[in-house]
Amino acid sequence: EKFKLITPTFGENLLKKYRKLYKNIKIYGVHIGVPLRNMYDREIKEIEKIFEQIDYYFFCSSNTINNNNYFKANKNKIISNVSSWYNLLWIDKLNSIYNISDSTNNKKINVVMFLEKGYFLGDNNVLYDDYIKVIKYLSEHNDINFILKSHPSMIAKESIFQNIDNNINLIVDDNLITSYELIYKSDLIICSSSSVILDAYLLKKN
Protein backbone atom coordinates (compact mmCIF):
# COMPACT_ATOMS: atom_id res chain seq x y z
CA GLU A 1 0.00 0.00 0.00
CA LYS A 2 2.85 2.36 0.70
CA PHE A 3 4.57 3.94 -2.26
CA LYS A 4 6.78 6.90 -3.06
CA LEU A 5 5.96 9.87 -5.22
CA ILE A 6 8.98 11.56 -6.78
CA THR A 7 8.07 14.92 -8.20
CA PRO A 8 9.64 18.16 -9.35
CA THR A 9 8.70 21.12 -7.22
CA PHE A 10 4.95 20.95 -7.65
CA GLY A 11 2.89 23.77 -6.21
CA GLU A 12 1.96 23.73 -2.56
CA ASN A 13 -1.76 23.23 -3.21
CA LEU A 14 -1.25 20.20 -5.44
CA LEU A 15 0.97 18.56 -2.83
CA LYS A 16 -1.72 19.16 -0.19
CA LYS A 17 -4.23 17.32 -2.42
CA TYR A 18 -1.88 14.34 -2.69
CA ARG A 19 -1.51 14.28 1.07
CA LYS A 20 -5.27 14.09 1.52
CA LEU A 21 -5.78 11.43 -1.17
CA TYR A 22 -2.90 9.17 -0.17
CA LYS A 23 -2.19 8.96 3.53
CA ASN A 24 0.81 6.64 3.42
CA ILE A 25 2.88 8.03 0.58
CA LYS A 26 6.42 9.34 0.84
CA ILE A 27 6.92 12.41 -1.32
CA TYR A 28 10.38 13.14 -2.69
CA GLY A 29 10.85 16.62 -4.12
CA VAL A 30 13.42 17.21 -6.85
CA HIS A 31 14.93 20.64 -7.44
CA ILE A 32 15.16 21.36 -11.16
CA GLY A 33 18.41 22.93 -12.27
CA VAL A 34 21.62 23.77 -10.48
CA PRO A 35 21.75 26.76 -8.09
CA LEU A 36 24.60 28.96 -9.31
CA ARG A 37 23.56 31.90 -7.15
CA ASN A 38 21.95 32.56 -3.80
CA MET A 39 18.19 32.22 -4.02
CA TYR A 40 15.88 35.22 -3.90
CA ASP A 41 13.74 35.62 -0.79
CA ARG A 42 10.56 34.80 -2.70
CA GLU A 43 12.10 31.54 -3.96
CA ILE A 44 13.10 30.52 -0.44
CA LYS A 45 9.57 31.19 0.82
CA GLU A 46 8.12 29.03 -1.96
CA ILE A 47 10.42 26.15 -1.05
CA GLU A 48 9.60 26.54 2.65
CA LYS A 49 5.92 26.01 1.81
CA ILE A 50 6.77 22.94 -0.26
CA PHE A 51 8.96 21.59 2.55
CA GLU A 52 5.93 21.34 4.79
CA GLN A 53 4.26 18.93 2.36
CA ILE A 54 7.19 16.67 1.39
CA ASP A 55 9.27 14.06 3.18
CA TYR A 56 12.57 14.44 1.35
CA TYR A 57 14.08 16.95 -1.03
CA PHE A 58 16.85 16.32 -3.55
CA PHE A 59 18.85 19.51 -3.73
CA CYS A 60 22.34 20.37 -4.97
CA SER A 61 24.45 21.77 -2.16
CA SER A 62 24.42 25.56 -2.11
CA ASN A 63 25.05 28.49 0.22
CA THR A 64 21.33 29.21 0.31
CA ILE A 65 20.56 25.81 1.78
CA ASN A 66 23.66 25.39 3.93
CA ASN A 67 23.42 28.79 5.65
CA ASN A 68 19.67 29.15 6.07
CA ASN A 69 18.23 28.52 9.54
CA TYR A 70 14.95 27.09 8.23
CA PHE A 71 16.74 24.52 6.07
CA LYS A 72 19.20 23.73 8.88
CA ALA A 73 16.26 22.90 11.14
CA ASN A 74 14.86 20.58 8.44
CA LYS A 75 18.17 19.09 7.27
CA ASN A 76 16.81 15.57 7.82
CA LYS A 77 14.60 16.17 4.77
CA ILE A 78 17.43 17.24 2.47
CA ILE A 79 19.24 14.72 0.31
CA SER A 80 22.27 16.61 -0.97
CA ASN A 81 23.24 15.53 -4.45
CA VAL A 82 25.35 16.59 -7.38
CA SER A 83 23.34 17.04 -10.54
CA SER A 84 23.85 14.33 -13.16
CA TRP A 85 23.35 17.02 -15.78
CA TYR A 86 26.18 19.16 -16.99
CA ASN A 87 28.92 16.74 -17.87
CA LEU A 88 30.17 15.46 -21.22
CA LEU A 89 28.03 12.31 -20.98
CA TRP A 90 24.99 14.55 -20.55
CA ILE A 91 26.02 16.57 -23.61
CA ASP A 92 26.40 13.37 -25.66
CA LYS A 93 22.93 12.32 -24.54
CA LEU A 94 21.40 15.65 -25.57
CA ASN A 95 23.12 15.48 -28.94
CA SER A 96 21.63 12.03 -29.56
CA ILE A 97 18.15 13.21 -28.54
CA TYR A 98 18.01 16.37 -30.63
CA ASN A 99 20.25 15.34 -33.54
CA ILE A 100 21.10 19.00 -34.15
CA SER A 101 22.47 20.04 -37.51
CA ASP A 102 24.94 22.90 -37.97
CA SER A 103 22.48 25.04 -39.92
CA THR A 104 23.51 28.30 -38.28
CA ASN A 105 23.80 31.62 -40.08
CA ASN A 106 27.54 31.84 -40.70
CA LYS A 107 27.26 35.32 -42.17
CA LYS A 108 26.15 36.75 -38.85
CA ILE A 109 27.18 36.38 -35.23
CA ASN A 110 24.55 34.24 -33.52
CA VAL A 111 23.87 35.74 -30.08
CA VAL A 112 21.39 34.33 -27.56
CA MET A 113 20.42 36.19 -24.40
CA PHE A 114 18.68 34.15 -21.70
CA LEU A 115 16.25 36.12 -19.56
CA GLU A 116 16.43 35.28 -15.87
CA LYS A 117 14.24 35.96 -12.86
CA GLY A 118 16.63 38.56 -11.45
CA TYR A 119 16.34 40.72 -14.57
CA PHE A 120 12.94 42.04 -13.53
CA LEU A 121 11.95 44.91 -11.28
CA GLY A 122 9.71 44.11 -8.32
CA ASP A 123 6.22 42.67 -8.49
CA ASN A 124 5.49 44.48 -11.75
CA ASN A 125 7.74 42.03 -13.61
CA VAL A 126 9.21 44.80 -15.76
CA LEU A 127 12.69 44.44 -17.19
CA TYR A 128 15.35 46.71 -15.73
CA ASP A 129 16.30 49.56 -18.08
CA ASP A 130 19.89 48.34 -18.37
CA TYR A 131 18.72 45.04 -19.87
CA ILE A 132 16.39 46.86 -22.25
CA LYS A 133 19.37 48.89 -23.48
CA VAL A 134 21.44 45.75 -24.09
CA ILE A 135 18.57 44.07 -25.95
CA LYS A 136 17.98 47.16 -28.08
CA TYR A 137 21.69 47.55 -28.88
CA LEU A 138 22.16 43.92 -29.99
CA SER A 139 18.94 43.73 -31.97
CA GLU A 140 19.83 46.80 -34.05
CA HIS A 141 23.15 45.42 -35.35
CA ASN A 142 22.85 44.04 -38.87
CA ASP A 143 25.80 41.69 -38.38
CA ILE A 144 24.16 40.01 -35.37
CA ASN A 145 21.44 37.38 -35.42
CA PHE A 146 19.96 38.14 -31.98
CA ILE A 147 17.58 35.83 -30.09
CA LEU A 148 15.99 36.49 -26.71
CA LYS A 149 14.99 33.36 -24.75
CA SER A 150 12.64 33.60 -21.80
CA HIS A 151 12.90 31.57 -18.61
CA PRO A 152 10.45 28.61 -18.41
CA SER A 153 8.71 30.27 -15.44
CA MET A 154 7.71 33.18 -17.71
CA ILE A 155 5.34 31.16 -19.89
CA ALA A 156 1.80 32.58 -19.85
CA LYS A 157 3.02 35.84 -18.28
CA GLU A 158 2.73 38.17 -21.23
CA SER A 159 3.00 41.30 -19.08
CA ILE A 160 6.67 40.48 -18.52
CA PHE A 161 7.44 41.30 -22.14
CA GLN A 162 5.43 44.51 -22.37
CA ASN A 163 8.50 46.75 -22.76
CA ILE A 164 10.28 44.56 -25.32
CA ASP A 165 9.94 45.71 -28.94
CA ASN A 166 7.77 43.51 -31.16
CA ASN A 167 10.54 43.16 -33.72
CA ILE A 168 12.75 41.27 -31.24
CA ASN A 169 13.10 37.56 -31.94
CA LEU A 170 11.66 36.39 -28.62
CA ILE A 171 11.26 32.68 -27.87
CA VAL A 172 8.96 31.76 -25.00
CA ASP A 173 7.82 28.23 -25.85
CA ASP A 174 10.43 25.45 -25.42
CA ASN A 175 8.40 23.34 -27.83
CA LEU A 176 9.61 25.58 -30.65
CA ILE A 177 13.28 25.18 -29.82
CA THR A 178 14.97 24.15 -26.58
CA SER A 179 17.57 26.12 -24.68
CA TYR A 180 20.15 23.47 -25.49
CA GLU A 181 19.51 23.77 -29.22
CA LEU A 182 19.87 27.54 -28.99
CA ILE A 183 23.17 27.19 -27.14
CA TYR A 184 24.44 24.66 -29.67
CA LYS A 185 23.68 26.95 -32.62
CA SER A 186 25.00 30.12 -30.99
CA ASP A 187 28.35 31.88 -31.10
CA LEU A 188 27.83 33.95 -27.98
CA ILE A 189 25.71 33.36 -24.85
CA ILE A 190 24.56 36.18 -22.57
CA CYS A 191 23.35 35.21 -19.10
CA SER A 192 24.41 35.65 -15.49
CA SER A 193 23.44 32.86 -13.10
CA SER A 194 21.42 30.49 -15.27
CA SER A 195 22.53 26.86 -15.41
CA VAL A 196 22.72 27.23 -19.21
CA ILE A 197 26.19 28.60 -18.45
CA LEU A 198 27.32 25.04 -17.77
CA ASP A 199 26.00 23.71 -21.07
CA ALA A 200 27.62 26.64 -22.86
CA TYR A 201 30.93 25.97 -21.12
CA LEU A 202 30.90 22.27 -22.06
CA LEU A 203 30.13 23.22 -25.66
CA LYS A 204 33.01 25.74 -25.57
CA LYS A 205 30.82 28.73 -26.38
CA ASN A 206 31.75 32.33 -25.69
Side-chain angles (χ1 to χ4, degrees):
E1 292 293 324
K2 294 182 180 180
F3 63 93
K4 300 172 183 177
L5 175 67
I6 298 180
T7 168
T9 47
F10 280 177
E12 176 193 12
N13 293 332
L14 183 57
L15 289 172
K16 285 181 178 179
K17 290 180 181 179
Y18 274 115
R19 282 295 186 201
K20 289 181 179 180
L21 288 172
Y22 308 106
K23 302 297 183 182
N24 297 320
I25 64 171
K26 294 287 186 182
I27 299 180
Y28 288 72
V30 181
H31 188 83
I32 303 300
V34 176
L36 300 180
R37 56 168 171 77
N38 288 332
M39 289 185 170
Y40 304 119
D41 289 342
R42 65 177 182 275
E43 293 175 309
I44 294 174
K45 290 178 181 178
E46 288 172 2
I47 293 180
E48 287 178 359
K49 292 178 181 178
I50 291 170
F51 252 61
E52 296 174 3
Q53 305 300 325
I54 63 176
D55 298 289
Y56 300 102
Y57 196 53
F58 288 96
F59 199 99
C60 296
S61 180
S62 72
N63 289 332
T64 303
I65 291 295
N66 297 337
N67 299 321
N68 181 280
N69 289 331
Y70 178 85
F71 295 121
K72 285 181 180 179
N74 291 277
K75 63 181 181 180
N76 61 308
K77 287 188 174 186
I78 298 175
I79 301 175
S80 182
N81 69 303
V82 176
S83 177
S84 58
W85 302 3
Y86 315 120
N87 57 54
L88 292 177
L89 291 175
W90 172 245
I91 294 296
D92 289 342
K93 185 65 175 179
L94 290 176
N95 287 338
S96 66
I97 291 172
Y98 295 116
N99 192 26
I100 306 171
S101 62
D102 292 316
S103 58
T104 52
N105 187 339
N106 293 323
K107 295 181 180 180
K108 292 187 176 184
I109 302 172
N110 296 291
V111 179
V112 182
M113 181 176 180
F114 287 87
L115 291 177
E116 301 175 34
K117 296 177 182 178
Y119 289 5
F120 295 88
L121 179 63
D123 295 331
N124 294 325
N125 287 324
V126 176
L127 268 172
Y128 282 106
D129 287 340
D130 287 346
Y131 294 111
I132 291 293
K133 291 176 182 177
V134 172
I135 292 169
K136 182 177 176 60
Y137 175 82
L138 292 170
S139 64
E140 290 178 348
H141 274 259
N142 293 327
D143 59 342
I144 292 177
N145 178 35
F146 179 65
I147 295 175
L148 193 61
K149 176 65 174 68
S150 73
H151 189 275
S153 64
M154 299 171 189
I155 293 176
K157 296 180 180 179
E158 294 181 1
S159 61
I160 286 178
F161 313 114
Q162 60 184 302
N163 55 346
I164 297 177
D165 290 342
N166 292 330
N167 63 332
I168 301 294
N169 188 0
L170 171 66
I171 296 178
V172 178
D173 189 352
D174 274 5
N175 291 322
L176 298 176
I177 184 169
T178 64
S179 294
Y180 180 76
E181 290 172 291
L182 287 172
I183 296 169
Y184 187 95
K185 292 175 178 289
S186 71
D187 299 304
L188 176 66
I189 300 294
I190 300 175
C191 59
S192 57
S193 59
S194 170
S195 52
V196 301
I197 292 173
L198 298 175
D199 280 340
Y201 173 79
L202 291 171
L203 288 170
K204 299 180 179 179
K205 300 294 182 177
N206 293 313

